[in-house]
Amino acid sequence: MGEDQIIPSNGHFDTTYANISENGITAVNCFSEELETRVQGDFNGNMNLDKLTEILEKDGDRVPLVYMTITNNTGGGQPVSLENIRAVHALCTKYEKPLFLDCCRFAENAWFIQQREEECKGMSIPQIVGAMFALCDGFTISLKKDGLANMGGALLIRNNCALVAENPELLNNIRDHQILTEGHPTYGGLSGRGIMTICEGLKTVVTESYLKSRVEQVQQFGAYLKELGIPVIEPIGGHAVYIDMDEFFKGTDMKREDYGGISLTALLLLKGIRLCELGVFAFGDNHPHNFVRCAVPRNKYEITDLYYVADCIKAMYDQRDKLPKAVPIYGKDLSLRHFKARFELRG
Ligand SMILES: *Cc1c(COP(=O)(O)O)cnc(C)c1O
């Protein structure tokens, strides 16, 4: 299908990466310099413009579109600046490429833009959201995130954008695919109740009172973990705190290929805590980031619940030289292995 094609991004989400690969296309991450070198920047989720330019310059004819994840989940939940989206848009215009957003956390990203980007300080969240979306040709969104809904997702494409003008069959082909894989649009993939929840969720998610308490709760959780000495990725992102497993196990016998992040998440399940390894097991042994993600569900928890989580992580940290290795006993070589593998913990 997409042989020889390349889709660059500031950081593909794991299943996005897998979907692209499944179609025979190469997914490329252009992580920002700050993220790669662990410098604390305001917008570490940004696209690396040099890397993107290089790809467009050298292999532009292989690039069907450019994708931006907002906020950058795989890159530590870090925000992307409006300036960076504008710069990527300018490159896309220059090289005549459509720009698509994976914008599951568009509202949290807008909040960071308002807080941190000088020229946007006086703008309201809906104004910033408008400015972000004015730059894209289309977007995908999981409405379980900043849709504040239980279920649902969407692919939207701008009317009359160049992509559609040049590919008149595109929308029809997408609809055919949907009929094959989900059902005809009029069958109603979501219940009316679900759709109404999304409508209300999208209105709520851009209010400053909601965003302030949401992001502050995550920041407070991260600050507390840091106070306990846990090596967290800084600055703390908008929806999750990421723990650096290479640092966590530094000075112990745990090697990267022992999947200490899996052991940590497995043992914490016993305390009713579900974290997610997004490191060398999820992405392969050579992945630059070896994180465990502590994502915070929206509108579900009090800060004291998160302190409990942090205290449990600290108890593990205190015994880090005694934690068992995670040995994959099933699925180590399957695609999407981190969704399916099973492990044995061996001391
Ligand atoms: C959750 C998420 C997805 C996938 O959405 P699902 O509804 O879980 O399939 C894609 N991209 C990003 C950035 C996400 O956070």
Side-chain angles (χ1 to χ4, degrees):
M1 266 180 281
E3 280 80 16
D4 292 336
Q5 293 195 322
I6 302 173
I7 299 184
S9 166
N10 56 330
H12 289 287
F13 185 68
D14 58 353
T15 50
T16 310
Y17 194 100
N19 270 293
I20 292 172
S21 308
E22 186 67 20
N23 282 291
I25 304 173
T26 307
V28 178
N29 291 324
C30 305
F31 291 123
S32 70
E33 194 74 31
E34 290 82 358
L35 190 70
E36 297 279 26
T37 55
R38 303 288 158 81
V39 174
Q40 281 208 35
D42 282 341
F43 293 103
N44 283 9
N46 280 354
M47 178 83 82
N48 185 321
L49 297 170
D50 291 341
K51 267 195 207 159
L52 178 64
T53 307
E54 193 186 317
I55 293 170
L56 291 171
E57 192 57 46
K58 268 213 299 238
D59 290 312
D61 51 341
R62 295 170 60 197
V63 176
L65 59 91
V66 175
Y67 215 20
M68 282 190 99
T69 313
I70 285 167
T71 56
N72 194 338
N73 194 333
T74 307
Q78 301 291 317
V80 177
S81 69
L82 187 58
E83 187 188 7
N84 188 253
I85 307 173
R86 285 205 176 111
V88 172
H89 175 257
L91 280 171
C92 287
T93 306
K94 179 175 170 195
Y95 291 91
E96 299 182 339
K97 301 296 173 195
L99 174 57
F100 272 66
L101 304 180
D102 177 2
C103 58
C104 300
R105 297 182 178 77
F106 71 98
E108 289 168 11
N109 199 78
W111 170 259
F112 282 114
I113 287 177
Q114 189 194 53
Q115 299 296 306
R116 297 179 181 175
E117 204 162 347
E118 210 47 55
E119 65 156 312
C120 302
K121 290 211 159 120
M123 289 165 77
S124 70
I125 297 293
Q127 279 172 338
I128 295 170
V129 170
M132 281 160 52
F133 282 86
L135 297 165
C136 72
D137 295 292
F139 60 88
T140 50
I141 182 167
S142 168
L143 292 158
K144 295 183 290 189
K145 319 291 174 54
D146 274 356
L148 300 183
N150 304 311
M151 189 42 81
L155 160 64
L156 289 95
I157 300 181
R158 190 182 294 285
N159 268 336
N160 307 322
C161 69
L163 177 71
V164 174
E166 285 160 22
N167 302 278
E169 282 307 304
L170 180 72
L171 299 181
N172 198 33
N173 290 345
I174 291 173
R175 182 144 297 173
D176 284 354
H177 182 74
Q178 185 184 356
I179 291 169
L180 285 172
T181 54
E182 198 199 53
H184 190 275
T186 61
Y187 296 173
L190 286 168
S191 63
R193 180 187 59 190
I195 294 169
M196 284 189 271
T197 307
I198 291 166
C199 294
E200 286 307 311
L202 288 172
K203 283 186 224 158
T204 305
V205 81
V206 292
T207 59
E208 295 193 10
S209 55
Y210 162 78
L211 280 170
K212 187 170 188 307
S213 63
R214 158 71 174 160
V215 177
E216 279 182 2
Q217 190 186 52
V218 176
Q219 305 282 317
Q220 233 176 316
F221 173 43
Y224 183 66
L225 274 165
K226 189 183 168 190
E227 225 176 273
L228 296 177
I230 310 298
V232 295
I233 303 299
E234 294 185 274
I236 308 295
H239 71 288
V241 180
Y242 291 70
I243 306 173
D244 186 331
M245 285 300 111
D246 293 338
E247 289 294 322
F248 191 96
F249 288 109
K250 205 177 193 166
T252 73
D253 292 341
M254 188 75 77
K255 298 199 245 353
R256 271 190 148 203
E257 58 272 26
D258 296 329
Y259 306 122
I262 299 281
S263 304
L264 178 67
T265 53
L267 290 169
L268 284 168
L269 284 176
L270 301 174
K271 303 297 279 179
I273 296 165
R274 192 173 67 101
L275 308 183
C276 179
E277 199 264 5
L278 286 178
V280 290
F281 195 76
F283 299 118
D285 294 339
N286 295 321
H287 195 73
H289 309 131
N290 192 16
F291 300 160
V292 159
R293 183 188 66 194
C294 318
V296 182
R298 297 161 179 80
N299 294 332
K300 295 278 190 300
Y301 294 106
E302 304 277 343
I303 189 65
T304 44
D305 297 317
L306 302 178
Y307 288 159
Y308 163 77
V309 172
D311 289 341
C312 291
I313 295 171
K314 165 78 161 108
M316 293 288 170
Y317 188 58
D318 288 343
Q319 303 175 67
R320 59 193 178 279
D321 54 342
K322 294 195 210 103
L323 294 191
K325 296 170 178 157
V327 181
I329 51 163
Y330 168 79
K332 183 169 193 264
D333 299 314
L334 292 176
S335 66
L336 291 171
R337 65 181 185 174
H338 61 303
F339 285 92
K340 299 176 296 195
R342 297 199 195 104
F343 298 87
E344 228 170 63
L345 299 187
R346 291 191 196 148

